[in-house]
PDB file of all heavy atoms in Angstrom:
ATOM      1  N   VAL A   1      20.906 -58.701  33.934  1.00 87.00           N
ATOM      2  CA  VAL A   1      19.513 -58.372  34.104  1.00 87.00           C
ATOM      3  C   VAL A   1      19.044 -58.824  35.496  1.00 87.00           C
ATOM      4  O   VAL A   1      19.635 -59.712  36.120  1.00 87.00           O
ATOM      5  CB  VAL A   1      18.639 -59.065  33.013  1.00 87.00           C
ATOM      6  CG1 VAL A   1      19.020 -58.579  31.646  1.00 87.00           C
ATOM      7  CG2 VAL A   1      18.725 -60.573  33.113  1.00 87.00           C
ATOM      8  N   THR A   2      17.948 -58.204  35.961  1.00 90.00           N
ATOM      9  CA  THR A   2      17.287 -58.643  37.202  1.00 90.00           C
ATOM     10  C   THR A   2      16.194 -59.604  36.827  1.00 90.00           C
ATOM     11  O   THR A   2      15.406 -59.346  35.919  1.00 90.00           O
ATOM     12  CB  THR A   2      16.716 -57.408  37.940  1.00 90.00           C
ATOM     13  OG1 THR A   2      17.763 -56.521  38.262  1.00 90.00           O
ATOM     14  CG2 THR A   2      15.983 -57.853  39.204  1.00 90.00           C
ATOM     15  N   PRO A   3      16.108 -60.765  37.516  1.00 91.00           N
ATOM     16  CA  PRO A   3      15.091 -61.745  37.145  1.00 91.00           C
ATOM     17  C   PRO A   3      13.678 -61.238  37.389  1.00 91.00           C
ATOM     18  O   PRO A   3      13.441 -60.370  38.234  1.00 91.00           O
ATOM     19  CB  PRO A   3      15.416 -62.928  38.069  1.00 91.00           C
ATOM     20  CG  PRO A   3      16.197 -62.358  39.181  1.00 91.00           C
ATOM     21  CD  PRO A   3      16.954 -61.207  38.632  1.00 91.00           C
ATOM     22  N   ILE A   4      12.719 -61.810  36.690  1.00 92.00           N
ATOM     23  CA  ILE A   4      11.337 -61.424  36.828  1.00 92.00           C
ATOM     24  C   ILE A   4      10.647 -62.299  37.903  1.00 92.00           C
ATOM     25  O   ILE A   4       9.562 -62.003  38.347  1.00 92.00           O
ATOM     26  CB  ILE A   4      10.550 -61.516  35.503  1.00 92.00           C
ATOM     27  CG1 ILE A   4      10.642 -62.927  34.921  1.00 92.00           C
ATOM     28  CG2 ILE A   4      11.078 -60.491  34.501  1.00 92.00           C
ATOM     29  CD1 ILE A   4       9.838 -63.106  33.616  1.00 92.00           C
ATOM     30  N   SER A   5      11.272 -63.385  38.274  1.00 90.00           N
ATOM     31  CA  SER A   5      10.808 -64.242  39.368  1.00 90.00           C
ATOM     32  C   SER A   5      11.984 -65.096  39.837  1.00 90.00           C
ATOM     33  O   SER A   5      13.106 -64.991  39.303  1.00 90.00           O
ATOM     34  CB  SER A   5       9.655 -65.130  38.873  1.00 90.00           C
ATOM     35  OG  SER A   5      10.097 -66.123  37.997  1.00 90.00           O
ATOM     36  N   SER A   6      11.721 -65.951  40.796  1.00 86.00           N
ATOM     37  CA  SER A   6      12.812 -66.827  41.306  1.00 86.00           C
ATOM     38  C   SER A   6      13.202 -67.907  40.287  1.00 86.00           C
ATOM     39  O   SER A   6      14.233 -68.549  40.482  1.00 86.00           O
ATOM     40  CB  SER A   6      12.371 -67.485  42.606  1.00 86.00           C
ATOM     41  OG  SER A   6      11.222 -68.305  42.382  1.00 86.00           O
ATOM     42  N   SER A   7      12.406 -68.062  39.248  1.00 85.00           N
ATOM     43  CA  SER A   7      12.700 -69.134  38.292  1.00 85.00           C
ATOM     44  C   SER A   7      12.750 -68.645  36.835  1.00 85.00           C
ATOM     45  O   SER A   7      12.890 -69.430  35.937  1.00 85.00           O
ATOM     46  CB  SER A   7      11.642 -70.222  38.377  1.00 85.00           C
ATOM     47  OG  SER A   7      10.325 -69.699  38.094  1.00 85.00           O
ATOM     48  N   ALA A   8      12.701 -67.328  36.650  1.00 89.00           N
ATOM     49  CA  ALA A   8      12.713 -66.819  35.261  1.00 89.00           C
ATOM     50  C   ALA A   8      13.428 -65.513  35.103  1.00 89.00           C
ATOM     51  O   ALA A   8      13.373 -64.659  36.003  1.00 89.00           O
ATOM     52  CB  ALA A   8      11.266 -66.672  34.753  1.00 89.00           C
ATOM     53  N   ALA A   9      14.126 -65.343  34.010  1.00 90.00           N
ATOM     54  CA  ALA A   9      14.822 -64.081  33.689  1.00 90.00           C
ATOM     55  C   ALA A   9      14.799 -63.934  32.199  1.00 90.00           C
ATOM     56  O   ALA A   9      15.003 -64.931  31.442  1.00 90.00           O
ATOM     57  CB  ALA A   9      16.257 -64.085  34.207  1.00 90.00           C
ATOM     58  N   ASN A  10      14.554 -62.734  31.727  1.00 92.00           N
ATOM     59  CA  ASN A  10      14.566 -62.441  30.303  1.00 92.00           C
ATOM     60  C   ASN A  10      15.870 -61.754  29.946  1.00 92.00           C
ATOM     61  O   ASN A  10      16.237 -60.747  30.557  1.00 92.00           O
ATOM     62  CB  ASN A  10      13.398 -61.537  29.918  1.00 92.00           C
ATOM     63  CG  ASN A  10      12.046 -62.232  30.097  1.00 92.00           C
ATOM     64  OD1 ASN A  10      11.931 -63.436  29.898  1.00 92.00           O
ATOM     65  ND2 ASN A  10      11.057 -61.474  30.490  1.00 92.00           N
ATOM     66  N   PHE A  11      16.528 -62.277  28.922  1.00 89.00           N
ATOM     67  CA  PHE A  11      17.799 -61.616  28.526  1.00 89.00           C
ATOM     68  C   PHE A  11      17.942 -61.696  27.036  1.00 89.00           C
ATOM     69  O   PHE A  11      17.399 -62.620  26.361  1.00 89.00           O
ATOM     70  CB  PHE A  11      18.973 -62.239  29.235  1.00 89.00           C
ATOM     71  CG  PHE A  11      19.120 -63.736  29.086  1.00 89.00           C
ATOM     72  CD1 PHE A  11      19.878 -64.271  28.067  1.00 89.00           C
ATOM     73  CD2 PHE A  11      18.458 -64.582  29.937  1.00 89.00           C
ATOM     74  CE1 PHE A  11      20.056 -65.640  27.911  1.00 89.00           C
ATOM     75  CE2 PHE A  11      18.591 -65.965  29.802  1.00 89.00           C
ATOM     76  CZ  PHE A  11      19.390 -66.485  28.800  1.00 89.00           C
ATOM     77  N   LYS A  12      18.635 -60.733  26.467  1.00 90.00           N
ATOM     78  CA  LYS A  12      18.868 -60.659  25.024  1.00 90.00           C
ATOM     79  C   LYS A  12      20.329 -60.950  24.721  1.00 90.00           C
ATOM     80  O   LYS A  12      21.208 -60.266  25.241  1.00 90.00           O
ATOM     81  CB  LYS A  12      18.472 -59.252  24.497  1.00 90.00           C
ATOM     82  CG  LYS A  12      18.610 -59.144  22.987  1.00 90.00           C
ATOM     83  CD  LYS A  12      18.102 -57.770  22.534  1.00 90.00           C
ATOM     84  CE  LYS A  12      18.166 -57.671  21.011  1.00 90.00           C
ATOM     85  NZ  LYS A  12      17.655 -56.340  20.536  1.00 90.00           N
ATOM     86  N   LEU A  13      20.582 -61.970  23.942  1.00 87.00           N
ATOM     87  CA  LEU A  13      21.911 -62.356  23.621  1.00 87.00           C
ATOM     88  C   LEU A  13      22.470 -61.586  22.445  1.00 87.00           C
ATOM     89  O   LEU A  13      21.743 -61.312  21.482  1.00 87.00           O
ATOM     90  CB  LEU A  13      21.967 -63.851  23.346  1.00 87.00           C
ATOM     91  CG  LEU A  13      21.701 -64.788  24.530  1.00 87.00           C
ATOM     92  CD1 LEU A  13      21.549 -66.192  24.066  1.00 87.00           C
ATOM     93  CD2 LEU A  13      22.827 -64.665  25.533  1.00 87.00           C
ATOM     94  N   LYS A  14      23.761 -61.246  22.532  1.00 87.00           N
ATOM     95  CA  LYS A  14      24.439 -60.551  21.467  1.00 87.00           C
ATOM     96  C   LYS A  14      25.567 -61.432  20.939  1.00 87.00           C
ATOM     97  O   LYS A  14      26.174 -62.162  21.702  1.00 87.00           O
ATOM     98  CB  LYS A  14      25.048 -59.199  21.978  1.00 87.00           C
ATOM     99  CG  LYS A  14      24.039 -58.298  22.617  1.00 87.00           C
ATOM    100  CD  LYS A  14      24.711 -57.105  23.269  1.00 87.00           C
ATOM    101  CE  LYS A  14      23.721 -56.224  24.002  1.00 87.00           C
ATOM    102  NZ  LYS A  14      24.401 -55.099  24.655  1.00 87.00           N
ATOM    103  N   HIS A  15      25.840 -61.328  19.660  1.00 87.00           N
ATOM    104  CA  HIS A  15      26.909 -62.138  19.045  1.00 87.00           C
ATOM    105  C   HIS A  15      28.252 -61.471  19.242  1.00 87.00           C
ATOM    106  O   HIS A  15      28.403 -60.253  19.128  1.00 87.00           O
ATOM    107  CB  HIS A  15      26.644 -62.339  17.558  1.00 87.00           C
ATOM    108  CG  HIS A  15      25.407 -63.131  17.263  1.00 87.00           C
ATOM    109  ND1 HIS A  15      25.445 -64.491  17.113  1.00 87.00           N
ATOM    110  CD2 HIS A  15      24.128 -62.752  17.086  1.00 87.00           C
ATOM    111  CE1 HIS A  15      24.236 -64.924  16.864  1.00 87.00           C
ATOM    112  NE2 HIS A  15      23.414 -63.889  16.848  1.00 87.00           N
ATOM    113  N   LEU A  16      29.287 -62.302  19.528  1.00 87.00           N
ATOM    114  CA  LEU A  16      30.637 -61.782  19.629  1.00 87.00           C
ATOM    115  C   LEU A  16      31.242 -61.621  18.219  1.00 87.00           C
ATOM    116  O   LEU A  16      32.031 -60.681  17.992  1.00 87.00           O
ATOM    117  CB  LEU A  16      31.486 -62.763  20.436  1.00 87.00           C
ATOM    118  CG  LEU A  16      32.992 -62.458  20.515  1.00 87.00           C
ATOM    119  CD1 LEU A  16      33.236 -61.239  21.428  1.00 87.00           C
ATOM    120  CD2 LEU A  16      33.786 -63.646  21.009  1.00 87.00           C
ATOM    121  N   CYS A  17      30.872 -62.499  17.319  1.00 90.00           N
ATOM    122  CA  CYS A  17      31.521 -62.582  16.048  1.00 90.00           C
ATOM    123  C   CYS A  17      30.600 -62.162  14.882  1.00 90.00           C
ATOM    124  O   CYS A  17      29.407 -61.863  15.110  1.00 90.00           O
ATOM    125  CB  CYS A  17      32.044 -63.973  15.779  1.00 90.00           C
ATOM    126  SG  CYS A  17      33.194 -64.566  17.039  1.00 90.00           S
ATOM    127  N   ALA A  18      31.154 -62.139  13.697  1.00 91.00           N
ATOM    128  CA  ALA A  18      30.387 -61.783  12.484  1.00 91.00           C
ATOM    129  C   ALA A  18      30.342 -62.993  11.589  1.00 91.00           C
ATOM    130  O   ALA A  18      31.258 -63.815  11.528  1.00 91.00           O
ATOM    131  CB  ALA A  18      31.111 -60.637  11.772  1.00 91.00           C
ATOM    132  N   LEU A  19      29.238 -63.136  10.892  1.00 92.00           N
ATOM    133  CA  LEU A  19      29.032 -64.215   9.940  1.00 92.00           C
ATOM    134  C   LEU A  19      29.180 -63.658   8.516  1.00 92.00           C
ATOM    135  O   LEU A  19      28.542 -62.717   8.148  1.00 92.00           O
ATOM    136  CB  LEU A  19      27.655 -64.818  10.111  1.00 92.00           C
ATOM    137  CG  LEU A  19      27.218 -65.870   9.065  1.00 92.00           C
ATOM    138  CD1 LEU A  19      28.127 -67.075   9.127  1.00 92.00           C
ATOM    139  CD2 LEU A  19      25.773 -66.296   9.284  1.00 92.00           C
ATOM    140  N   ALA A  20      30.058 -64.310   7.756  1.00 94.00           N
ATOM    141  CA  ALA A  20      30.234 -63.912   6.343  1.00 94.00           C
ATOM    142  C   ALA A  20      29.781 -65.058   5.418  1.00 94.00           C
ATOM    143  O   ALA A  20      30.133 -66.200   5.636  1.00 94.00           O
ATOM    144  CB  ALA A  20      31.702 -63.624   6.102  1.00 94.00           C
ATOM    145  N   LYS A  21      28.940 -64.673   4.487  1.00 95.00           N
ATOM    146  CA  LYS A  21      28.436 -65.637   3.472  1.00 95.00           C
ATOM    147  C   LYS A  21      29.041 -65.259   2.108  1.00 95.00           C
ATOM    148  O   LYS A  21      28.939 -64.108   1.696  1.00 95.00           O
ATOM    149  CB  LYS A  21      26.939 -65.619   3.414  1.00 95.00           C
ATOM    150  CG  LYS A  21      26.334 -66.503   2.325  1.00 95.00           C
ATOM    151  CD  LYS A  21      24.814 -66.329   2.272  1.00 95.00           C
ATOM    152  CE  LYS A  21      24.186 -67.178   1.175  1.00 95.00           C
ATOM    153  NZ  LYS A  21      22.716 -67.042   1.132  1.00 95.00           N
ATOM    154  N   PHE A  22      29.638 -66.230   1.461  1.00 95.00           N
ATOM    155  CA  PHE A  22      30.214 -66.025   0.153  1.00 95.00           C
ATOM    156  C   PHE A  22      29.502 -66.912  -0.887  1.00 95.00           C
ATOM    157  O   PHE A  22      29.374 -68.112  -0.668  1.00 95.00           O
ATOM    158  CB  PHE A  22      31.699 -66.394   0.151  1.00 95.00           C
ATOM    159  CG  PHE A  22      32.532 -65.546   1.066  1.00 95.00           C
ATOM    160  CD1 PHE A  22      32.709 -65.918   2.416  1.00 95.00           C
ATOM    161  CD2 PHE A  22      33.177 -64.401   0.639  1.00 95.00           C
ATOM    162  CE1 PHE A  22      33.454 -65.157   3.253  1.00 95.00           C
ATOM    163  CE2 PHE A  22      33.927 -63.619   1.489  1.00 95.00           C
ATOM    164  CZ  PHE A  22      34.072 -64.005   2.811  1.00 95.00           C
ATOM    165  N   VAL A  23      29.002 -66.265  -1.937  1.00 95.00           N
ATOM    166  CA  VAL A  23      28.444 -67.002  -3.060  1.00 95.00           C
ATOM    167  C   VAL A  23      29.409 -66.878  -4.216  1.00 95.00           C
ATOM    168  O   VAL A  23      29.572 -65.786  -4.772  1.00 95.00           O
ATOM    169  CB  VAL A  23      27.021 -66.480  -3.432  1.00 95.00           C
ATOM    170  CG1 VAL A  23      26.494 -67.282  -4.632  1.00 95.00           C
ATOM    171  CG2 VAL A  23      26.092 -66.575  -2.264  1.00 95.00           C
ATOM    172  N   VAL A  24      30.099 -67.964  -4.511  1.00 94.00           N
ATOM    173  CA  VAL A  24      31.189 -67.938  -5.505  1.00 94.00           C
ATOM    174  C   VAL A  24      30.666 -68.578  -6.790  1.00 94.00           C
ATOM    175  O   VAL A  24      30.212 -69.743  -6.807  1.00 94.00           O
ATOM    176  CB  VAL A  24      32.401 -68.712  -4.994  1.00 94.00           C
ATOM    177  CG1 VAL A  24      33.527 -68.684  -6.041  1.00 94.00           C
ATOM    178  CG2 VAL A  24      32.882 -68.149  -3.649  1.00 94.00           C
ATOM    179  N   ASN A  25      30.700 -67.803  -7.903  1.00 94.00           N
ATOM    180  CA  ASN A  25      30.322 -68.347  -9.214  1.00 94.00           C
ATOM    181  C   ASN A  25      31.508 -69.031  -9.814  1.00 94.00           C
ATOM    182  O   ASN A  25      32.559 -68.437 -10.069  1.00 94.00           O
ATOM    183  CB  ASN A  25      29.876 -67.209 -10.117  1.00 94.00           C
ATOM    184  CG  ASN A  25      28.586 -66.543  -9.615  1.00 94.00           C
ATOM    185  OD1 ASN A  25      27.597 -67.173  -9.419  1.00 94.00           O
ATOM    186  ND2 ASN A  25      28.677 -65.224  -9.401  1.00 94.00           N
ATOM    187  N   VAL A  26      31.393 -70.350 -10.044  1.00 94.00           N
ATOM    188  CA  VAL A  26      32.452 -71.166 -10.550  1.00 94.00           C
ATOM    189  C   VAL A  26      32.401 -71.187 -12.096  1.00 94.00           C
ATOM    190  O   VAL A  26      31.331 -71.373 -12.660  1.00 94.00           O
ATOM    191  CB  VAL A  26      32.348 -72.616 -10.033  1.00 94.00           C
ATOM    192  CG1 VAL A  26      33.508 -73.487 -10.558  1.00 94.00           C
ATOM    193  CG2 VAL A  26      32.337 -72.616  -8.531  1.00 94.00           C
ATOM    194  N   PRO A  27      33.523 -70.934 -12.778  1.00 93.00           N
ATOM    195  CA  PRO A  27      33.523 -70.985 -14.248  1.00 93.00           C
ATOM    196  C   PRO A  27      32.984 -72.334 -14.738  1.00 93.00           C
ATOM    197  O   PRO A  27      33.180 -73.377 -14.102  1.00 93.00           O
ATOM    198  CB  PRO A  27      35.024 -70.839 -14.618  1.00 93.00           C
ATOM    199  CG  PRO A  27      35.597 -70.102 -13.469  1.00 93.00           C
ATOM    200  CD  PRO A  27      34.845 -70.571 -12.244  1.00 93.00           C
ATOM    201  N   GLU A  28      32.288 -72.290 -15.864  1.00 93.00           N
ATOM    202  CA  GLU A  28      31.568 -73.469 -16.368  1.00 93.00           C
ATOM    203  C   GLU A  28      32.460 -74.705 -16.491  1.00 93.00           C
ATOM    204  O   GLU A  28      32.085 -75.818 -16.157  1.00 93.00           O
ATOM    205  CB  GLU A  28      30.920 -73.170 -17.711  1.00 93.00           C
ATOM    206  CG  GLU A  28      30.051 -74.287 -18.240  1.00 93.00           C
ATOM    207  CD  GLU A  28      29.350 -73.900 -19.565  1.00 93.00           C
ATOM    208  OE1 GLU A  28      29.440 -72.722 -19.947  1.00 93.00           O
ATOM    209  OE2 GLU A  28      28.725 -74.804 -20.119  1.00 93.00           O
ATOM    210  N   GLU A  29      33.703 -74.512 -16.902  1.00 93.00           N
ATOM    211  CA  GLU A  29      34.596 -75.648 -17.127  1.00 93.00           C
ATOM    212  C   GLU A  29      35.002 -76.312 -15.799  1.00 93.00           C
ATOM    213  O   GLU A  29      35.548 -77.435 -15.792  1.00 93.00           O
ATOM    214  CB  GLU A  29      35.858 -75.223 -17.902  1.00 93.00           C
ATOM    215  CG  GLU A  29      36.723 -74.212 -17.239  1.00 93.00           C
ATOM    216  CD  GLU A  29      36.409 -72.777 -17.690  1.00 93.00           C
ATOM    217  OE1 GLU A  29      35.177 -72.475 -17.908  1.00 93.00           O
ATOM    218  OE2 GLU A  29      37.322 -71.979 -17.793  1.00 93.00           O
ATOM    219  N   TYR A  30      34.770 -75.624 -14.642  1.00 93.00           N
ATOM    220  CA  TYR A  30      35.093 -76.215 -13.349  1.00 93.00           C
ATOM    221  C   TYR A  30      33.839 -76.502 -12.528  1.00 93.00           C
ATOM    222  O   TYR A  30      33.971 -76.846 -11.323  1.00 93.00           O
ATOM    223  CB  TYR A  30      36.003 -75.279 -12.563  1.00 93.00           C
ATOM    224  CG  TYR A  30      37.331 -75.051 -13.255  1.00 93.00           C
ATOM    225  CD1 TYR A  30      37.563 -73.863 -13.950  1.00 93.00           C
ATOM    226  CD2 TYR A  30      38.339 -75.979 -13.198  1.00 93.00           C
ATOM    227  CE1 TYR A  30      38.786 -73.668 -14.574  1.00 93.00           C
ATOM    228  CE2 TYR A  30      39.562 -75.803 -13.816  1.00 93.00           C
ATOM    229  CZ  TYR A  30      39.771 -74.625 -14.533  1.00 93.00           C
ATOM    230  OH  TYR A  30      40.987 -74.407 -15.169  1.00 93.00           O
ATOM    231  N   ALA A  31      32.663 -76.364 -13.111  1.00 91.00           N
ATOM    232  CA  ALA A  31      31.407 -76.500 -12.352  1.00 91.00           C
ATOM    233  C   ALA A  31      31.250 -77.887 -11.732  1.00 91.00           C
ATOM    234  O   ALA A  31      30.599 -78.008 -10.689  1.00 91.00           O
ATOM    235  CB  ALA A  31      30.226 -76.185 -13.267  1.00 91.00           C
ATOM    236  N   ALA A  32      31.849 -78.905 -12.353  1.00 92.00           N
ATOM    237  CA  ALA A  32      31.716 -80.270 -11.820  1.00 92.00           C
ATOM    238  C   ALA A  32      32.936 -80.677 -10.987  1.00 92.00           C
ATOM    239  O   ALA A  32      32.981 -81.798 -10.506  1.00 92.00           O
ATOM    240  CB  ALA A  32      31.509 -81.291 -12.972  1.00 92.00           C
ATOM    241  N   SER A  33      33.887 -79.766 -10.824  1.00 93.00           N
ATOM    242  CA  SER A  33      35.079 -80.081 -10.064  1.00 93.00           C
ATOM    243  C   SER A  33      34.841 -80.075  -8.546  1.00 93.00           C
ATOM    244  O   SER A  33      33.981 -79.345  -8.085  1.00 93.00           O
ATOM    245  CB  SER A  33      36.194 -79.062 -10.371  1.00 93.00           C
ATOM    246  OG  SER A  33      36.594 -79.101 -11.720  1.00 93.00           O
ATOM    247  N   LYS A  34      35.546 -80.869  -7.844  1.00 95.00           N
ATOM    248  CA  LYS A  34      35.478 -80.896  -6.393  1.00 95.00           C
ATOM    249  C   LYS A  34      36.327 -79.738  -5.838  1.00 95.00           C
ATOM    250  O   LYS A  34      37.492 -79.638  -6.240  1.00 95.00           O
ATOM    251  CB  LYS A  34      35.935 -82.224  -5.839  1.00 95.00           C
ATOM    252  CG  LYS A  34      35.050 -83.399  -6.225  1.00 95.00           C
ATOM    253  CD  LYS A  34      35.618 -84.719  -5.751  1.00 95.00           C
ATOM    254  CE  LYS A  34      34.711 -85.879  -6.152  1.00 95.00           C
ATOM    255  NZ  LYS A  34      35.272 -87.193  -5.697  1.00 95.00           N
ATOM    256  N   ILE A  35      35.753 -78.969  -4.965  1.00 96.00           N
ATOM    257  CA  ILE A  35      36.467 -77.840  -4.347  1.00 96.00           C
ATOM    258  C   ILE A  35      37.051 -78.247  -3.034  1.00 96.00           C
ATOM    259  O   ILE A  35      36.366 -78.788  -2.151  1.00 96.00           O
ATOM    260  CB  ILE A  35      35.557 -76.599  -4.200  1.00 96.00           C
ATOM    261  CG1 ILE A  35      34.897 -76.248  -5.552  1.00 96.00           C
ATOM    262  CG2 ILE A  35      36.322 -75.416  -3.668  1.00 96.00           C
ATOM    263  CD1 ILE A  35      35.843 -75.927  -6.650  1.00 96.00           C
ATOM    264  N   LYS A  36      38.358 -77.994  -2.844  1.00 96.00           N
ATOM    265  CA  LYS A  36      39.059 -78.458  -1.657  1.00 96.00           C
ATOM    266  C   LYS A  36      39.170 -77.383  -0.583  1.00 96.00           C
ATOM    267  O   LYS A  36      39.211 -77.726   0.613  1.00 96.00           O
ATOM    268  CB  LYS A  36      40.485 -78.900  -2.030  1.00 96.00           C
ATOM    269  CG  LYS A  36      40.559 -79.900  -3.178  1.00 96.00           C
ATOM    270  CD  LYS A  36      39.996 -81.228  -2.865  1.00 96.00           C
ATOM    271  CE  LYS A  36      40.872 -81.963  -1.862  1.00 96.00           C
ATOM    272  NZ  LYS A  36      40.399 -83.361  -1.607  1.00 96.00           N
TER     273      LYS A  36
END
């Protein structure tokens, strides 16, 4: 981008990577187990 002044520039950042969110339902008998 071209700056808007000698001390300021506006730019929009883009992500290189993707974010994945997983919501895992744990069976009741393992609900209190520690997940490794």
